[in-house]
Amino acid sequence: MPKKKLAIYTATGCPACENTLLDINYDMVSLTSNTDIVFWPYLQGSEWETLDEYGPVDLCILAGAVRTEADRNAVIRLRSSSRLMLAIGSCACFGGLPALCDLSAGMSDSRPGDTDSGNKYLLPKMEPTVCAPCQIVNIDYFTPGCPPTRDLLWSAIQSLLSLGANTPKIAFAASRLPQAIADSVTAGILPRPGSIFAGEKAVCATCSRTKEEKKFDAFFRTHQIDPASGRCLLEQGILCQGLATREGCGGICTAAGAPCRGCFGRTEKVFDPGAKMVSAVSSTFNSTDPKELKNVADSFVDLAGTFYRYTLATQCALMAPNSEDSNNAPDNS
Amino acid sequence: MRRTILEPLRWLGGFARVMVIHEDGAPQTLFQITNNIHIQETCLGRPVEELPRILSILSPAHHLVSALTLDSVFNVTPTPMAVNIRNALSETLFLIHHMRKLYFLFTSESNPLDDFTLSQRNTNQPSHERELMDQIMRHVVLAQEASRILGGRSDHPVSIVPGGVSRFLKEPYYDRLDEIAAKLASFAVKIGGWVSGNGFGRQLQNLEIMPINSLSMSPHNGEIELRDSGGKIIDTFRPELIFEKIAFSVEPWTYQPFSFVKATGWNAPDIDNVAGSYFVGPLARLRSNIQSNTPVDPELSVFSTCGSTDVEAPTISSAFGALVAELIGSVSRIRRLFRRDALTGPSIRSIPGEMKQSGFAAMESPEGLIAHHYKVDGRGIVEEIQILDAATQNNALKCMIAQKVVKESTDFDRDPKAVKLRIEKALLPF
């Protein structure tokens, strides 16, 4: 059986996703029995010609958001050279943190790429706004997270590269995957296009904190109180986005005493994570006094930057392009 | 005009390449960063207490310095236990960062993931190097486990908050941290011994670094020291003044700005005129420590075998030696910090009672000196932000190193890939 071919690439973002791949170094080395990593600029210094040389790859792992025209071209080229594409990390799945700069009134940084001098030096031009690769090309699968957890990432890679070839590996990967995806890969077929290699419910389902009654009397910012350990952060008045966010991380932030900020994107049943949070918070505040409610509403700051911290480009109904214009943002339908 | 482009350069966060422009006269060599995440714009309008999580996208150490800046904004003193947890996390980040750099160096000519195109050509890597490389990644994983315990997450930590940290450590973690510290300590000794015995000769050409100033924070009094290439102090000042002493320049050929010493003025990167430029990082810190006669002995002995103790003429090999020296220093400190008595206490954080209009903090990160300055409105929303990161401060040095490698390469036209490899390795320790 010929070896499969794997490409790994990061557009604009940080190195955390690629470092996560390095962290599963031993697992990745074990892949080499049936897979060759033929293109990985960060680690191998691979040139674009390498992709042409080895023909279409079986799987391309793509991290990072689209910030420059070079990112856009790279995403298009990788798509045309790959049979399957797996977006990893919040930037590649939803646009991620870099998209928050689009909330800024004015970009103060000079943009050398837009000048004549920049053209002389072949600097790529900046895109008007940051977008996710799925808004440019069709992405087959998604593994969200900032960065994705090693278990999920490894399960996704194994599922897509060992499909129908190695039963123990598939069984191991399937044990960590959502049921629908696990059913597909154990049956030897690919999961449904658009599938997300993460949990199906909300972070609250896996958060270790105790939920009692979702009612609170006051809203606090994270620096204002020392929340009780073990008790739901939202119930203590801290904006935690766990109820609108897809699980899969295991609640690592809330376990560390930090509220969820939604790096896994919205859950199956949520249309817009910000709207969901506003609705949830409004319905759980323990007051009916209009004056008191207004004070609380006024105390919420930067809702867009908080509720769409990682998803502004794709999941904010007011900011994201119409669904007809975008290719295939992670599919919840 | 003819351009030769060497890309992509490995191991750098962000896209980097070297462009050599051949026009009339001497060729012009440029180290280019070809994208920009506009991090300052990303932070404007955000609640200031959210910045430690947002800015960790730059590197995990920016999470720490951002929390320190919030201590200043909220005028709050972290509890002693929280200070120890922060310091322990910081040391762990040094270990992860430095070990990864060594991993990259040792795998620079033989792909660790057995890329078949390279592995067929590289059958001459000694097995002990291969084993060391393997061991490095195993210990990176251990150090990451420690950083997850201390910071909640490894690559993007979440647990450092204004006034302290967000949680107590759980009971089983104390023994685990102790175990990890012991394992890392023995491994650091092994790396030190290996480097002392073998140096980096096989991996590195003996490229001398140009005589350039350096900036670091004194471990004794916390002041910032600007030193010349001989280690002599040119200027010392309080960290709060750093954005008055340092200025930035944007060149038309790269998205990465350059920082320079304001008093000297900016001069585009040129190996024949380094005035105004400076660098930060392990070699800068070691230069400072050696001149202050305060190096820890094992650190110095390792450094001395990697080049020389003469910091006036350091080589790329010396810069890697500085990484190993710091690695040894870090493990000796985590052995003290990863102890139950250091990581326990009655309180994890102090709750801020007031908010100032601005805040500042600086610290030494694995990559080098970093600093943040925030201005906020009455609701604590970020109105202005200044960020000094290591990539900006080392940008001029990296550009000059690329220039020097290209200039000294007689095989540039014949074998540009070999030149690219030399540049990658020369940039790696910075």
Side-chain angles (χ1 to χ4, degrees):
Chain A
M1 191 174 179
K3 278 186 163 188
K4 293 193 172 172
K5 285 176 271 187
L6 175 65
I8 301 170
Y9 186 82
T10 294
T12 293
C14 70
C17 288
E18 287 184 315
N19 283 338
T20 305
L21 286 166
L22 278 178
D23 295 340
I24 53 171
N25 180 275
Y26 306 105
D27 299 322
M28 294 294 282
V29 168
S30 75
L31 269 183
T32 55
S33 60
N34 67 348
T35 304
D36 281 320
I37 301 173
V38 298
F39 183 78
W40 192 353
Y42 178 66
L43 191 66
Q44 300 175 346
S46 317
E47 297 169 4
W48 283 106
E49 290 70 30
T50 316
L51 268 186
D52 304 331
E53 189 180 340
Y54 293 107
V57 296
D58 295 279
L59 177 66
C60 171
I61 298 175
L62 177 64
V66 176
R67 166 81 277 189
T68 65
E69 66 177 10
D71 291 334
R72 176 180 286 272
N73 294 338
V75 165
I76 292 169
R77 190 164 180 179
L78 286 163
R79 176 68 274 184
S80 67
S81 306
S82 312
R83 293 196 177 94
L84 292 177
M85 249 183 149
L86 170 68
I88 66 165
S90 306
C91 297
C93 292
F94 318 118
L97 262 174
L100 278 189
C101 71
D102 291 331
L103 289 174
S104 182
M107 304 289 281
S108 62
D109 274 15
S110 62
R111 296 181 169 206
D114 295 339
T115 64
D116 289 342
S117 301
N119 290 337
K120 176 186 171 187
Y121 298 113
L122 305 180
L123 273 187
K125 286 186 168 57
M126 289 283 164
E127 293 278 313
T129 55
V130 175
C131 61
C134 62
Q135 292 172 298
I136 294 169
V137 298
N138 191 59
I139 302 287
D140 300 295
Y141 303 108
F142 301 87
T143 304
C146 186
T149 63
R150 294 177 199 176
D151 280 357
L152 277 177
L153 186 56
W154 178 230
S155 299
I157 294 170
Q158 255 187 328
S159 300
L160 298 174
L161 284 175
S162 306
L163 196 71
N166 189 324
T167 309
K169 276 187 179 173
I170 288 291
F172 179 75
S175 68
R176 299 163 177 219
L177 293 172
Q179 194 61 46
I181 297 178
D183 288 347
S184 295
V185 297
T186 47
I189 59 171
L190 286 169
R192 186 168 60 88
S195 294
I196 301 171
F197 285 82
E200 290 162 325
K201 297 177 182 169
V203 169
C204 294
T206 50
C207 174
S208 56
R209 290 175 175 264
T210 309
K211 293 92 184 166
E212 291 164 354
E213 188 187 12
K214 284 221 170 6
K215 292 281 181 190
F216 55 95
D217 298 319
F219 161 72
F220 298 102
R221 287 163 66 178
T222 52
H223 63 283
Q224 292 173 327
I225 62 165
D226 183 10
S229 62
R231 191 178 161 215
C232 172
L233 292 169
L234 188 59
E235 288 177 8
Q236 298 183 64
I238 291 177
L239 278 185
C240 174
Q241 219 169 324
L243 59 84
T245 303
R246 183 180 292 274
E247 55 121 349
C249 61
I252 42 180
C253 291
T254 53
C260 171
R261 285 291 174 257
C263 70
F264 270 62
R266 61 188 158 101
T267 61
E268 296 280 343
K269 293 175 182 170
V270 169
F271 171 68
D272 178 306
K276 170 70 179 174
M277 283 305 297
V278 169
S279 162
V281 170
S282 309
S283 64
T284 53
F285 191 70
N286 199 16
S287 172
T288 52
D289 177 11
K291 201 172 172 184
E292 209 172 309
L293 287 172
K294 184 176 183 311
N295 286 342
V296 173
D298 289 344
S299 69
F300 288 100
V301 291
D302 187 34
L303 294 188
T306 304
F307 293 151
Y308 304 104
R309 173 71 53 83
Y310 300 93
T311 59
L312 187 72
T314 52
Q315 297 189 347
C316 173
L318 295 173
M319 292 279 286
N322 294 330
S323 55
E324 297 84 51
D325 299 332
S326 66
N327 250 283
N328 71 325
D331 182 16
N332 284 339
S333 60
Chain B
M1 182 178 72
R2 180 168 64 90
R3 300 184 189 95
T4 307
I5 298 175
L6 306 176
E7 69 173 342
L9 298 181
R10 287 181 287 177
W11 315 312
L12 295 161
F15 294 95
R17 69 187 182 198
V18 169
M19 177 183 281
V20 183
I21 299 177
H22 310 266
E23 280 183 296
D24 299 336
Q28 184 187 14
T29 301
L30 306 170
F31 172 70
Q32 295 182 290
I33 300 293
T34 59
N35 67 355
N36 188 340
I37 57 173
H38 294 101
I39 192 67
Q40 312 211 25
E41 282 80 0
T42 299
C43 295
L44 292 176
R46 308 283 84 75
V48 70
E49 72 274 12
E50 296 288 333
L51 293 194
R53 294 182 73 172
I54 293 173
L55 287 167
S56 68
I57 193 174
L58 293 173
S59 79
H62 281 274
H63 174 70
L64 277 165
V65 73
S66 183
L68 290 173
T69 312
L70 293 188
D71 290 346
S72 161
V73 169
F74 293 115
N75 198 21
V76 65
T77 304
T79 62
M81 180 185 75
V83 170
N84 284 342
I85 290 179
R86 290 175 176 193
N87 290 340
L89 176 61
S90 175
E91 296 296 347
T92 311
L93 299 178
F94 271 78
L95 293 175
I96 294 169
H97 176 269
H98 289 7
M99 283 197 285
R100 272 200 186 128
K101 293 266 184 185
L102 293 173
Y103 172 79
F104 290 146
L105 176 66
F106 287 125
T107 58
S108 58
E109 292 178 40
S110 58
N111 195 297
L113 300 177
D114 269 337
D115 172 75
F116 60 98
T117 56
L118 289 174
S119 61
Q120 286 173 351
R121 297 205 301 268
N122 290 286
T123 53
N124 59 344
Q125 188 185 29
S127 59
H128 62 279
E129 273 186 26
R130 188 91 191 170
E131 191 205 329
L132 188 69
M133 180 189 83
D134 185 58
Q135 289 292 318
I136 286 175
M137 284 315 279
R138 290 187 190 280
H139 287 82
V140 167
V141 171
L142 276 183
Q144 281 181 319
E145 184 183 341
S147 73
R148 273 197 302 280
I149 290 171
L150 297 161
R153 303 177 72 149
S154 179
D155 275 300
H156 295 323
V158 295
S159 70
I160 313 301
V161 295
V165 294
S166 61
R167 65 164 178 189
F168 287 97
L169 300 188
K170 290 179 181 169
E171 180 56 34
Y173 288 158
Y174 295 106
D175 288 342
R176 183 62 179 160
L177 285 174
D178 197 38
E179 202 175 10
I180 290 172
K183 195 79 177 71
L184 289 170
S186 66
F187 182 59
V189 170
K190 186 175 176 179
I191 289 187
W194 192 89
V195 170
S196 298
N198 300 278
F200 294 110
R202 207 183 76 81
Q203 278 82 14
L204 293 171
Q205 75 279 21
N206 197 29
L207 186 82
E208 199 172 292
I209 298 167
M210 54 291 306
I212 181 172
N213 296 341
S214 60
L215 202 65
S216 60
M217 180 181 275
S218 164
H220 307 294
N221 57 20
E223 294 221 319
I224 306 294
E225 297 173 345
L226 177 68
R227 291 175 182 268
D228 68 13
S229 60
K232 187 179 153 203
I233 289 183
I234 301 171
D235 192 8
T236 59
F237 50 90
R238 286 182 292 114
E240 293 79 11
L241 297 176
I242 197 164
F243 287 108
E244 291 175 26
K245 298 279 187 177
I246 300 302
F248 300 91
S249 174
V250 176
E251 295 293 318
W253 40 269
T254 179
Y255 279 117
Q256 181 77 57
F258 294 86
S259 60
F260 62 95
V261 180
K262 206 184 275 184
T264 317
W266 172 239
N267 182 53
D270 178 359
I271 47 179
D272 296 321
N273 184 0
V274 299
S277 300
Y278 69 93
F279 75 103
V280 296
L283 189 62
R285 289 190 287 258
L286 207 65
R287 177 188 278 177
S288 169
N289 282 349
I290 286 174
Q291 292 304 324
S292 313
N293 296 316
T294 56
V296 179
D297 283 338
E299 296 176 26
L300 182 59
S301 68
V302 167
F303 179 63
S304 65
T305 61
C306 299
S308 75
T309 53
D310 179 7
V311 290
E312 290 182 33
T315 61
I316 297 300
S317 193
S318 315
F320 277 103
L323 285 176
V324 177
E326 284 202 339
L327 204 123
I328 292 169
S330 275
V331 292
S332 70
R333 285 187 288 277
I334 65 165
R335 292 229 68 178
R336 290 198 301 273
L337 286 164
F338 281 19
R339 284 185 1 209
R340 183 182 293 266
D341 57 343
L343 301 175
T344 50
S347 173
I348 50 172
R349 62 189 286 198
S350 313
I351 298 299
E354 61 172 307
M355 185 177 67
K356 296 194 294 186
Q357 295 289 294
S358 67
F360 170 88
M363 64 176 271
E364 284 288 356
S365 75
E367 300 86 356
L369 182 70
I370 55 177
H372 290 190
H373 177 229
Y374 312 147
K375 279 190 179 170
V376 298
D377 68 9
R379 296 180 306 156
I381 302 297
V382 179
E383 289 185 320
E384 278 181 51
I385 181 167
Q386 290 174 295
I387 295 170
L388 187 64
D389 63 0
T392 301
Q393 296 176 94
N394 285 338
N395 199 16
L397 174 70
K398 286 179 177 176
C399 194
M400 287 188 271
I401 286 175
Q403 288 172 356
K404 190 163 186 183
V405 173
V406 168
K407 189 177 179 184
E408 293 181 5
S409 295
T410 54
D411 55 351
F412 185 82
D413 289 326
R414 186 168 28 91
D415 192 1
K417 284 188 178 176
V419 180
K420 176 173 167 273
L421 176 63
R422 288 200 289 274
I423 292 173
E424 287 172 331
K425 288 199 281 193
L427 297 180
L428 184 56
F430 299 102

